Amino acid sequence: MIVILHPEVAPESREYRAVLDYLAHKPNIKTRVHQEVGSLRTVTEIYLIGDTMALDRAEIESLPGVERVVRISEEYRVVGRHQDDTRATGFEYNGVRFDQDGLNVFAGLCAVDTPEHVELMMRALKTHAQVCTRMGAYKPRTNPYSFQGHGKQCLPWVFELAGKYGIKVIAMEITHDKHVDEIREALERTGHPTGVMLQIGTRNTQNFELLKIVGRQREFPVLLKRGFGITMEESLNAAEYLASEGNSRIVFGLRGMKTNMGDPHRNFVDFAHVPVVKRLTRMPVCIDPSHSVGSREHAPDGILDVLHVTAQGVIAGANMILVDFHPVPAKALVDGPQALTLEELPYFLEDVAIAREAYEKRRSLRSRFGNKA
Ligand code: PEP
Ligand code: MN
């Protein structure tokens, strides 16, 4: 059960204390307070855990300060979409809005290599009015002898270049809690020229201790990739781990499943799950066509598989695209074979716009037919 307070009820107010006192006197009920910080208003939500069936919903709703009460299913208490749950989706970070209605493109380098390549990438993004990118500094690699990323030493110049080219959010994978501190320190040292969305990769989707630590910090939003060999339910519970610790600014990322059934793609593309995640949760949904497909193969129509699957995700309502680009893919230190080139950036963006327009038309078609269809 969630008790949602009126936005003007501050934690130090009498109404707030009265609601918590009321709940404290109920047997076998534990409370957990969440602040949902929105651009227009901050909402306090009190999550009730325990014997909630015994509670009187109408009585709680009649308390001064309470806006409404939502009964929730056991699953995904914080990130889930519950019955009669009309709460807004998404969040704003560093001036960029992330929700289940919009679409943000994060084109960039799988792995940061040289300042020249990072600058070329960011300049191209600015030229094409892009304010988000992906830049990997900490790379989890299958082979211990492969390049593991430049780590913290590249952060200051990556952030400064981002500031120079108006990049507002960088998706950056972290594999250890100390990386969060390193990113925070580098942003502080460089005067916050940009923002960072912490990415939890598919190999760490069930690294519960990492999830708890990342969930406890509120400064950075999180892109959580679906685990490549676990069920959807397990991956959504991983998102709930983050949210249950206090950080519900989460984007959920589909990146394909590891099975030979998807051959010759690197992973079995799972973008049919975009609407499923939107139905089960309130998280914006990201697709990663690069790590799903893993190559630059194209169909007889000349269109790359990476672009075909991007369109499939977007036409199904995806809210974010994480996609590998590189100025010189042959020189990329990680995942060059799947990278798109800078010359392909305007083409990619236009192709995405076509798919997005088709999605919007599908939505208005649906509302035109209402419940008759
Ligand atoms: C990545 O995005 O660079 C990456 C390693 O993705 P994943 O965790 O999905 O393999
Ligand atoms: Mn990669």
Side-chain angles (χ1 to χ4, degrees):
M1 188 178 259
I2 313 171
V3 179
I4 301 167
L5 302 187
H6 285 294
E8 68 276 12
V9 176
E12 46 298 331
S13 67
R14 200 143 40 87
E15 290 98 330
Y16 182 93
R17 281 258 49 97
V19 174
L20 282 181
D21 283 350
Y22 170 93
L23 296 168
H25 286 96
K26 297 290 172 196
N28 306 320
I29 294 288
K30 281 212 188 87
T31 55
R32 203 164 188 163
V33 177
H34 278 261
Q35 302 275 356
E36 289 271 334
V37 183
S39 50
L40 296 178
R41 53 183 225 166
T42 295
V43 178
T44 303
E45 297 180 346
I46 306 171
Y47 282 78
L48 308 184
I49 301 157
D51 196 6
T52 54
M53 286 319 277
L55 295 176
D56 183 342
R57 178 176 170 170
E59 190 171 288
I60 301 175
E61 273 181 338
S62 72
L63 297 174
V66 174
E67 185 174 281
R68 91 205 125 84
V69 173
V70 178
R71 274 217 186 269
I72 55 175
S73 38
E74 282 304 299
E75 296 258 276
Y76 327 132
R77 288 163 203 257
V78 184
V79 300
R81 204 179 256 291
H82 307 290
Q83 226 184 350
D84 307 322
D85 187 355
T86 53
R87 288 175 297 164
T89 67
F91 55 90
E92 194 167 312
Y93 173 64
N94 212 24
V96 183
R97 177 93 204 140
F98 296 88
D99 57 31
Q100 285 193 339
D101 293 318
L103 177 61
N104 303 97
V105 178
F106 282 63
L109 306 186
C110 179
V112 169
D113 44 30
T114 66
E116 293 71 32
H117 290 155
V118 171
E119 181 148 21
L120 284 169
M121 183 74 234
M122 292 190 177
R123 186 180 298 140
L125 290 167
K126 185 177 165 75
T127 303
H128 298 288
Q130 298 302 302
V131 295
C132 300
T133 189
R134 56 158 297 148
M135 289 284 153
Y138 308 97
K139 298 304 299 178
R141 303 303 302 280
T142 304
N143 185 330
Y145 306 110
S146 301
F147 173 63
Q148 311 275 318
H150 286 311
K152 72 172 176 184
Q153 67 91 1
C154 72
L155 300 180
W157 55 263
V158 169
F159 294 160
E160 272 160 6
L161 283 170
K164 179 170 169 192
Y165 291 100
I167 298 293
K168 300 205 166 306
V169 188
I170 303 176
M172 182 173 277
E173 179 164 358
I174 51 140
T175 58
H176 192 283
D177 52 303
K178 74 171 187 224
H179 300 157
V180 184
D181 300 325
E182 291 172 3
I183 289 170
R184 185 182 294 111
E185 280 158 24
L187 281 173
E188 266 163 30
R189 244 183 310 129
T190 51
H192 291 273
T194 188
V196 172
M197 178 179 279
L198 302 175
Q199 186 177 322
I200 295 189
T202 195
R203 292 158 190 80
N204 276 312
T205 309
Q206 284 191 312
N207 183 341
F208 300 118
E209 297 310 315
L210 182 65
L211 294 174
K212 284 189 217 165
I213 285 165
V214 171
R216 267 175 224 143
Q217 63 78 36
R218 303 285 186 94
E219 188 175 349
F220 305 109
V222 186
L223 168 61
L224 175 71
K225 294 273 197 96
R226 172 186 199 166
F228 55 20
I230 57 177
T231 63
M232 175 59 83
E233 188 187 347
E234 287 164 333
S235 286
L236 295 180
N237 267 308
E240 186 69 18
Y241 254 94
L242 292 165
S244 70
E245 294 291 338
N247 190 347
S248 50
R249 298 197 294 170
I250 310 165
V251 177
F252 187 81
L254 298 173
R255 47 82 69 212
M257 302 303 290
K258 201 169 196 61
T259 155
N260 291 341
M261 303 296 169
D263 292 355
H265 286 163
R266 182 174 174 182
N267 288 285
F268 195 20
V269 182
D270 54 352
F271 300 166
H273 279 161
V274 167
V276 176
V277 178
K278 289 170 83 170
R279 173 171 77 242
L280 294 174
T281 78
R282 295 178 299 125
M283 293 184 283
V285 182
C286 174
I287 52 168
D288 178 342
S290 307
H291 289 83
S292 300
V293 169
S295 74
R296 289 184 48 93
E297 294 294 337
H298 59 79
D301 56 18
I303 301 173
L304 294 173
D305 290 11
V306 169
L307 271 80
H308 270 301
V309 304
T310 302
Q312 288 160 14
V314 172
I315 205 168
N319 309 113
M320 174 169 157
I321 307 168
L322 191 73
V323 54
D324 288 2
F325 274 74
H326 198 283
V328 199
K331 288 201 174 162
L333 296 178
V334 184
D335 286 344
Q338 70 195 24
L340 304 178
T341 64
L342 300 190
E343 295 69 42
E344 286 169 323
L345 182 60
Y347 161 54
F348 177 83
L349 293 171
E350 209 170 318
D351 200 47
V352 165
I354 292 171
R356 177 70 187 175
E357 200 184 320
Y359 170 68
E360 280 162 6
K361 279 189 183 155
R362 292 178 62 224
R363 271 183 76 153
S364 55
L365 179 68
R366 174 67 218 168
S367 54
R368 195 146 54 79
F369 277 85
N371 292 328
K372 289 185 291 228

